[in-house]
Amino acid sequence: MNRTGFLGCMITVMRKELRYFARDRRTFLLTLLTAPLLYPLMFLGMSKLTSLRTENQLDKDLALPVVGMAQAPNLVAFLASRGINATEAPKDIEARIRAQKDDVALIIDPDFAEDWHAGKPAKVDVLADTTRRTSDVQVMRLKTTLGEYSQSVGALRLLARGVDPKVAAPVNVGTRDLATAEAKRGIFLSIVLPLVLMLSAFIGGSHLAMDTTAGERERQSLEPLLATPAARGALVSGKMLAAVTVGLLSMLLILLSFKLSASMGTGAATSLDVSFAAMGKLLTILLPLVVIGTALLTCLAASAKSMKEAQSHIAWLMMLPMLPGYALMAYPLKDTQLWQYAVPFLSQNQMLVKVTRGEMPSATQWGVYLLASLGLALVLWGIAVWRYRQERLAISG
């Protein structure tokens, strides 16, 4: 088959698959609109919950159970001046914290007053369950306030002895943060957004990719297609191109919905760079992943005897885009080494993080990323073509 015939056959197959897919209106609309409607709601909800947490745990007064309040009246008064109101703790305060009835408590040592008057360090203990994130804001707020009290009292003691408090701080440590404003605003989104986009791109065209092979095989409509003189490579390419088209259309709708949510939301949602240039860079990064996901799903569907068997692969396939994010949480890597841009899923994660931070990947990084992604897609396409050339593919059951 000549080049014109190959391309013509590929386009014909693609149009046929898209037309058949569009006939099932419910599946068509669910595939295209579920993620664009769900993800913006998720980001707006997360932004609202973050604002509520700040209002409830930082801005409002904190009721603090205290054991031994009578030992440190000055400390209790200082806490009250910072919006932390001490109350007498019940005897079962430890059990209450374990049961999540209270988040944090303060235990004042029985020898606090004696050590205080003797000029010795007076001991207090912050009682909390550090494995529960519901208490981390209150614990941080209490520890910060106790640190302020300790520094102020220490300074007053030095002044009472005729000593300048600056003597106790021989080194003045400051921090010069070199992070850009875009990176600071996008620090939360640089963790969540790449995972969401990668997962959507990887399995965006999954239903069509599986239905055009495993579904047709189960319906016994694949055998007549394979009996035509059309090249198997053209058939595979047409089916994959149809699934890639659906995946890209879904990604485009998702990015547009993010743009809309950024204009409507508050907090983290407003930190999204929703310019068309940024959307174009994200789409360019995700395009190879759409192709890789479609090619891999086509290979797996070609080995499945039914649509149900093909769909069983989705569970572990969804884990693949998540692995780099989990690995980087445990062992962060600098994104300067080129080998990272040749590793599937890790490369997409690093590229997306750069863009969400307001940075631009270098030309070398773009080149390595695109070549490695294209190479992997070609390998998977070749495997799918090889599978299509096997006669037993047309046999169902």
Side-chain angles (χ1 to χ4, degrees), residues 106-162:
L106 184 67
I107 300 178
I108 299 176
D109 192 83
D111 297 329
F112 183 94
E114 182 180 346
D115 292 336
W116 176 272
H117 293 297
K120 299 178 181 179
K123 184 180 179 181
V124 296
D125 290 317
V126 176
L127 191 62
D129 185 348
T130 58
T131 62
R132 300 191 182 277
R133 295 192 61 239
T134 53
S135 63
D136 55 0
V137 174
Q138 294 95 322
V139 171
M140 178 189 67
R141 181 179 176 183
L142 177 58
K143 286 184 175 180
T144 301
T145 305
L146 291 174
E148 293 177 2
Y149 181 70
S150 177
Q151 291 180 357
S152 63
V153 171
L156 290 174
R157 287 180 175 180
L158 290 174
L159 286 173
R161 291 165 173 78

Side-chain angles (χ1 to χ4, degrees), residues 87-106:
T87 59
E88 192 65 41
K91 296 182 179 179
D92 61 341
I93 184 60
E94 293 187 7
R96 291 179 60 85
I97 290 179
R98 292 192 182 98
Q100 302 184 63
K101 294 181 180 180
D102 289 306
D103 293 320
V104 62
L106 184 67

Side-chain angles (χ1 to χ4, degrees), residues 258-307:
F258 278 140
K259 183 179 179 69
L260 178 63
S261 64
S263 62
M264 298 172 54
T266 58
T270 60
S271 66
L272 280 169
D273 181 3
V274 293
S275 64
F276 286 107
M279 297 294 103
K281 285 186 285 186
L282 291 175
L283 197 60
T284 303
I285 294 171
L286 294 169
L287 173 59
L289 189 58
V290 175
V291 178
I292 291 172
T294 301
L296 180 57
L297 284 165
T298 303
C299 293
L300 295 172
S303 302
K305 295 181 180 181
S306 65
M307 188 67 173

Side-chain angles (χ1 to χ4, degrees), residues 44-201:
L44 290 174
M46 293 171 66
S47 177
K48 182 62 177 178
L49 290 175
T50 301
S51 301
L52 287 175
R53 187 185 187 194
T54 301
E55 294 174 2
N56 294 334
Q57 298 185 0
L58 288 179
D59 299 339
K60 292 185 177 180
D61 289 351
L62 171 64
L64 177 68
V66 178
V67 177
M69 287 179 56
Q71 301 292 331
N74 292 335
L75 173 58
V76 171
F78 185 85
L79 292 175
S81 68
R82 296 297 189 271
I84 302 177
N85 301 318
T87 59
E88 192 65 41
K91 296 182 179 179
D92 61 341
I93 184 60
E94 293 187 7
R96 291 179 60 85
I97 290 179
R98 292 192 182 98
Q100 302 184 63
K101 294 181 180 180
D102 289 306
D103 293 320
V104 62
L106 184 67
I107 300 178
I108 299 176
D109 192 83
D111 297 329
F112 183 94
E114 182 180 346
D115 292 336
W116 176 272
H117 293 297
K120 299 178 181 179
K123 184 180 179 181
V124 296
D125 290 317
V126 176
L127 191 62
D129 185 348
T130 58
T131 62
R132 300 191 182 277
R133 295 192 61 239
T134 53
S135 63
D136 55 0
V137 174
Q138 294 95 322
V139 171
M140 178 189 67
R141 181 179 176 183
L142 177 58
K143 286 184 175 180
T144 301
T145 305
L146 291 174
E148 293 177 2
Y149 181 70
S150 177
Q151 291 180 357
S152 63
V153 171
L156 290 174
R157 287 180 175 180
L158 290 174
L159 286 173
R161 291 165 173 78
V163 180
D164 190 342
K166 295 179 181 179
V167 175
V171 178
N172 186 12
V173 180
T175 300
R176 299 177 62 184
D177 194 350
L178 300 180
T180 62
E182 292 82 1
K184 290 179 180 178
R185 291 197 303 266
I187 187 170
F188 172 73
L189 293 174
S190 66
I191 300 174
V192 179
L193 189 58
L195 175 60
V196 171
L197 293 179
M198 287 170 59
L199 186 59
S200 302

Side-chain angles (χ1 to χ4, degrees), residues 210-228:
M210 291 184 295
D211 185 67
T212 54
T213 299
E216 290 191 4
R217 187 182 185 187
E218 186 177 18
R219 295 188 297 269
Q220 298 183 356
S221 59
L222 186 61
E223 184 177 359
L225 182 62
L226 296 177
T228 64

